Amino acid sequence: MGHREQTGRERFILAIDGGGMRGVIPSYFLSRFSDLLIAEGDTRPLADHFDLIAGTSTGSIIALALTCPGEKSALGTDGAPPSYAYKPVKQSLLGRLLRRPVQFHEIGILPPSADLKRIGTLYKEYGREIFPKRQSMLFGSLFIDKYDSAPFEDFLQEMFRDVPLSEAVVPVLAVSYDISGAGRPFLFTSDDDHQFRFWEAARASSAAPTYFRPAFFIDRQTGENLVLVDGGVVANNPVIYAYAQARKLYPDCPKFHILSLSTGRADMNLQISRNTGVIGWLDPSQGAPIQKILNAAQDQTAATFAQNNPDIDYTRVGRSLKNTYKMDVTTDEAIASMEEEASEMFQEKQDELVKYAKRLSARTEFDQLELLPLSSQPLALEAKNDAPQTTSA
């Protein structure tokens, strides 16, 4: 990562919820949000605007896809022309007195953006491979996971290859939970990567209980044996852990502007009797009531924390869904319906999102990034009002 100058600069965080195939929704949000930046005349790579990108479960896959070097993975880049970072040329006293235009020179190239369209199509392309239709296993599913983990792992390794987490182009965080020992949240971060790979972070953060077996990994730094499950068991909305990590990275920051993307939530609509029992709480016909309650409680806790923290400016996109989508639904009709609902949710938050995009577009310093070297000598440029002008070296 770049050299982070602790100058009390405001920071920007992207946080993406878990939700299985409902990752279609935040993926759609990101594509539309990128269009808002372009409307502001800002064609710089989307991910480079953020100081930290965090995700849980399917949100972690998106977060990791945004931050993995596209040229080293199968995800690729968007192919856009390079965007440059600039630094002002020190003016002479005479220049300042005469109010001459400030001159800038290129100091590096911003890391290219991930291909957002490619990320958005992953659910359509690979959903059926990861969540294949299978015959009902009424009793068998009580004793084995619903899906074979091998196709999922193959997909992740194909996408991310063997790229080390430490090579993230933007600081990244993926939330998982270690069920070995007493149990604890386990955070995959590019800042303290423990030699993990991108695909391993995605696999562990998305190891949804009953759907996939846990991820059994060895911490290459400590030698510990880890048994990792989906981060959604502790923080389906990763905003609390994202804030904690950002505070660690940027201790002098006066304000964190957090853009939090939901995968949509289902209303409870539970029919709980006086004698529910274990089966009642796990009733699949009602979407496992206990899981619905835990997810809703987590989301409310995260929102309360973020909305009442004076260090945080919280922009949340998402609401209750009109239709019910199972975590493993893969039909074209369901995906199209999710995209339609995502469009409605985005439109409902349009004013807030335009305001957030304007803040990002005003950003001129990128000390959280490792700039790519220039291919030619820096050029002297006159300042323009509609272009990024300065950055920290």
Side-chain angles (χ1 to χ4, degrees), residues 54-129:
T56 296
S57 194
T58 196
S60 79
I61 295 176
I62 298 173
L64 292 161
L66 287 170
T67 57
C68 186
E71 69 279 5
K72 293 186 177 182
S73 74
L75 294 163
T77 63
D78 60 7
S83 296
Y84 295 91
Y86 302 89
K87 187 174 182 179
V89 177
K90 188 175 181 180
Q91 277 191 316
S92 66
L93 176 59
L94 179 61
R96 293 196 297 272
L97 290 173
L98 296 177
R99 296 186 176 181
R100 289 174 178 167
V102 177
Q103 299 289 313
F104 296 84
H105 69 85
E106 299 169 352
I107 61 170
I109 300 173
L110 299 177
S113 180
D115 188 340
L116 291 176
K117 291 183 179 178
R118 175 65 174 147
I119 295 173
T121 61
L122 293 179
Y123 293 92
K124 296 177 184 178
E125 287 185 35
Y126 294 94
R128 290 183 178 88
E129 292 181 24

Side-chain angles (χ1 to χ4, degrees), residues 173-224:
L173 163 70
V175 182
S176 184
Y177 194 81
D178 180 15
I179 59 174
S180 65
R184 56 171 175 160
F186 192 90
L187 308 179
F188 290 85
T189 69
S190 52
D191 188 64
D192 185 20
D193 67 291
H194 285 232
Q195 301 177 43
F196 282 109
R197 309 292 187 255
F198 269 86
W199 80 264
E200 292 172 327
R203 172 67 177 90
S205 184
S206 305
T210 74
Y211 287 88
F212 299 112
R213 68 179 179 84
F216 296 87
F217 292 146
I218 296 176
D219 186 323
R220 297 180 181 89
Q221 184 168 306
T222 66
E224 291 180 271

Side-chain angles (χ1 to χ4, degrees), residues 62 73 129 131 137 159 165 255 318 354 378:
I62 298 173
S73 74
E129 292 181 24
F131 301 113
M137 299 176 64
M159 288 299 103
L165 193 57
K255 180 73 73 175
V354 167

Side-chain angles (χ1 to χ4, degrees), residues 320-331:
S320 294
L321 296 166
K322 295 178 180 178
N323 300 299
T324 300
Y325 307 101
K326 292 182 179 179
M327 184 181 122
D328 54 353
V329 64
T330 59
T331 64

Side-chain angles (χ1 to χ4, degrees), residues 27-330:
S27 181
Y28 178 90
F29 290 156
L30 287 170
S31 180
R32 288 285 301 274
F33 186 74
S34 179
D35 291 340
L36 292 183
L37 289 173
I38 293 172
E40 293 294 324
D42 186 351
T43 58
R44 295 172 295 183
L46 173 65
D48 293 355
H49 291 79
F50 293 97
D51 296 283
L52 175 67
I53 299 179
T56 296
S57 194
T58 196
S60 79
I61 295 176
I62 298 173
L64 292 161
L66 287 170
T67 57
C68 186
E71 69 279 5
K72 293 186 177 182
S73 74
L75 294 163
T77 63
D78 60 7
S83 296
Y84 295 91
Y86 302 89
K87 187 174 182 179
V89 177
K90 188 175 181 180
Q91 277 191 316
S92 66
L93 176 59
L94 179 61
R96 293 196 297 272
L97 290 173
L98 296 177
R99 296 186 176 181
R100 289 174 178 167
V102 177
Q103 299 289 313
F104 296 84
H105 69 85
E106 299 169 352
I107 61 170
I109 300 173
L110 299 177
S113 180
D115 188 340
L116 291 176
K117 291 183 179 178
R118 175 65 174 147
I119 295 173
T121 61
L122 293 179
Y123 293 92
K124 296 177 184 178
E125 287 185 35
Y126 294 94
R128 290 183 178 88
E129 292 181 24
I130 297 169
F131 301 113
K133 286 185 179 180
R134 44 193 306 193
Q135 297 297 318
S136 174
M137 299 176 64
L138 182 59
F139 295 105
S141 60
L142 294 175
F143 304 102
I144 63 172
D145 299 306
K146 188 173 183 180
Y147 297 105
D148 180 3
S149 299
F152 184 35
E153 292 185 2
D154 289 344
F155 157 71
L156 294 175
Q157 291 182 51
E158 178 185 343
M159 288 299 103
F160 294 112
R161 296 175 180 162
D162 206 37
V163 181
L165 193 57
S166 60
E167 294 187 13
V169 297
V170 176
V172 67
L173 163 70
V175 182
S176 184
Y177 194 81
D178 180 15
I179 59 174
S180 65
R184 56 171 175 160
F186 192 90
L187 308 179
F188 290 85
T189 69
S190 52
D191 188 64
D192 185 20
D193 67 291
H194 285 232
Q195 301 177 43
F196 282 109
R197 309 292 187 255
F198 269 86
W199 80 264
E200 292 172 327
R203 172 67 177 90
S205 184
S206 305
T210 74
Y211 287 88
F212 299 112
R213 68 179 179 84
F216 296 87
F217 292 146
I218 296 176
D219 186 323
R220 297 180 181 89
Q221 184 168 306
T222 66
E224 291 180 271
N225 289 305
L226 306 170
V227 184
L228 301 166
V229 298
D230 194 301
V233 304
V234 65
N236 199 57
N237 177 348
V239 67
I240 294 175
Y241 290 100
Y243 169 76
Q245 177 67 8
R247 178 54 71 193
K248 174 185 173 184
L249 295 174
Y250 313 105
D252 297 331
C253 175
K255 180 73 73 175
F256 293 99
H257 299 280
I258 300 181
L259 178 58
S260 176
L261 305 183
S262 169
T263 57
R265 64 179 184 274
D267 287 329
M268 294 265 190
N269 296 323
L270 303 179
Q271 297 178 0
I272 304 298
S273 67
R274 291 179 179 272
N275 300 301
T276 301
V278 173
I279 297 300
W281 287 112
L282 299 176
D283 183 1
S285 68
Q286 293 196 66
I290 189 62
Q291 190 61 51
K292 280 188 175 182
I293 293 169
L294 291 174
N295 287 344
Q298 276 188 25
D299 190 55
Q300 291 157 3
T301 299
T304 299
F305 170 82
Q307 292 166 358
N308 292 280
N309 189 324
D311 295 346
I312 295 175
D313 171 44
Y314 190 57
T315 301
R316 175 73 168 168
V317 187
R319 56 157 168 75
S320 294
L321 296 166
K322 295 178 180 178
N323 300 299
T324 300
Y325 307 101
K326 292 182 179 179
M327 184 181 122
D328 54 353
V329 64
T330 59

